[in-house]
Structure formats: C-alpha cells, structure tokens
Amino acid sequence: MAVLQILEFPDPRLRKIASGVTSFDSNLNHLIDDMFETMYEAQGIGLAATQVNVHKRLLILDVSENKDSPRVFINPTFDILDHELSEYDEGCLSVPGFYETVCRPRVIMVAAQDRDGAQFEFEAGGLLATCLQHEIDHLEGKLFVDYISTLKRNRIRSKLEKEQKNSA
Ligand code: GNR
Ligand code: NI
C-alpha cells in the first residue's frame, strides 16, 4: 500500500471529469487500498479518485466515529429524495485549512457498484449524504468552494497559491 499525493486547489487537474470504471480488476483493488491509506493518513472522511489524479468514477468514504467502516462507491449516481437543504461546514483535503458552510439536499438515494462490480443502492441522510455529494462533485471536477462567493474563493485561491509556492 502507498500514501498517494493529494492535488490541491487551484490545480487544474481537479477540474477534469472522471470517466466510468469498466474493469473490476487487481489494478482497481490496489488503487482502492492506496486511496484508503491516503484518506486515513490525511484524517479525511472521504476521498475521490480525482483528488489523487486518477480520473475514474470511484470514491471512498468512512464517516464512522471509530474509522472502522470503509465504504467504496464505483460509478456512483444519486437521486434527491428530500429537496430540503441541510447546512454543513465543509472542508476538503484538496482545499486544506479552509471550511465554509455549504447547503445540499438532505436525503438522497445513492446507487453504485462495489469492488466486485455488484450493484447496490440505499437511502442516505446526514453527514453520509453530504459527504457522498461532495465526493461525487469531485468526479465532475467540482469543489465545495464553487458554492461560495467569488470573493471568498479568490481569497482562498491566493492563500493556497502562496503556501504552495513556499513549500515547493
Ligand atoms: O475530510 C473531509 N471532511 C468533510 C467535511 C464536510 C464535508 C465533506 C467532507 S469531505 C472531506 C474529505 C475530502 O476532501 N473529500 O473529497
Ligand atoms: Ni473534497
């Protein structure tokens, strides 16, 4: 297993649209294992393949308290079940150090495939629904900072650009 590098805003590679996963092979399983190691090491609750520069429709998450409920979603889609919005102070491993309130539909029905390609679906609410929508956005090249004001987003961009220059 390996800890992968996480791309940071405003890296243009975070804007790529991911393509569907078609082969459920050992390469995919290896990538999933590396993504879990990367997510747990970074203390994130979710990670999309886009963030590690793999532009495939794959995301992982673990929203459990004890970090003992790893979940994999391949080729995920969702329907909104409750248009009522819920607010959450969102963060992102690709936008380190910044948190902003984002509103998203409260309850969704998510459908996806597992590591073996088996289809599943279930209803998600709470943090799980928020996190799933955040991760699926990544697969579309979208970031939580796209939901806040241009002024705030530009401030975050310039702060991160400075940090990235200083650490390069
Ligand atoms: O670790 C993460 N925390 C988080 C908090 C609120 C809403 C979404 C998230 S996802 C984020 C990890 C990440 O960047 N996933 O793409
Ligand atoms: Ni994120």
Side-chain angles (χ1 to χ4, degrees):
M1 296 226 283
V3 172
L4 307 172
Q5 195 198 329
I6 297 175
L7 301 178
E8 292 186 5
F9 179 69
D11 193 311
R13 292 171 292 183
L14 287 168
R15 299 305 187 180
K16 289 192 178 185
I17 295 176
S19 49
V21 171
T22 49
S23 48
F24 295 81
D25 55 13
S26 62
N27 282 332
L28 181 71
N29 273 295
H30 195 98
L31 171 63
I32 291 168
D33 291 341
D34 287 349
M35 283 176 64
F36 274 114
E37 192 172 4
T38 304
M39 181 187 75
Y40 287 126
E41 203 252 355
Q43 296 184 21
I45 58 172
L47 187 70
T50 305
Q51 293 176 277
V52 295
N53 200 28
V54 176
H55 302 283
K56 300 263 179 63
R57 304 194 79 82
L58 157 66
L59 66 89
I60 59 166
L61 55 80
D62 187 343
V63 296
S64 69
E65 196 90 343
N66 299 324
K67 298 287 149 227
D68 56 3
S69 301
R71 303 209 217 191
V72 178
F73 298 80
I74 298 166
N75 300 323
T77 59
F78 71 92
D79 290 316
I80 297 166
L81 292 186
D82 183 350
H83 285 265
E84 190 100 15
L85 300 177
S86 87
E87 275 190 355
Y88 205 91
D89 238 10
E90 295 198 17
C92 181
L93 296 174
S94 296
V95 190
F98 295 90
Y99 298 85
E100 296 288 343
T101 304
V102 176
C103 295
R104 300 182 188 270
R106 205 173 65 86
V107 186
I108 59 172
M109 179 68 77
V110 60
Q113 286 166 279
D114 67 15
R115 276 177 190 259
D116 305 315
Q119 196 79 35
F120 63 90
E121 64 173 14
F122 65 90
E123 189 179 313
L127 179 58
L128 181 56
T130 295
C131 189
L132 276 165
Q133 292 174 76
H134 173 116
E135 304 311 338
I136 292 170
D137 270 354
H138 276 301
L139 305 181
E140 292 298 317
K142 213 161 176 208
L143 298 168
F144 83 90
V145 294
D146 299 343
Y147 296 99
I148 64 178
S149 72
T150 308
L151 181 68
K152 278 188 180 173
R153 184 168 54 255
N154 287 342
R155 281 196 192 131
I156 292 173
R157 177 188 290 118
S158 51
K159 285 181 189 165
L160 284 175
E161 277 172 342
K162 261 180 216 148
E163 280 183 24
Q164 289 158 18
K165 269 193 198 110
N166 290 337
S167 65

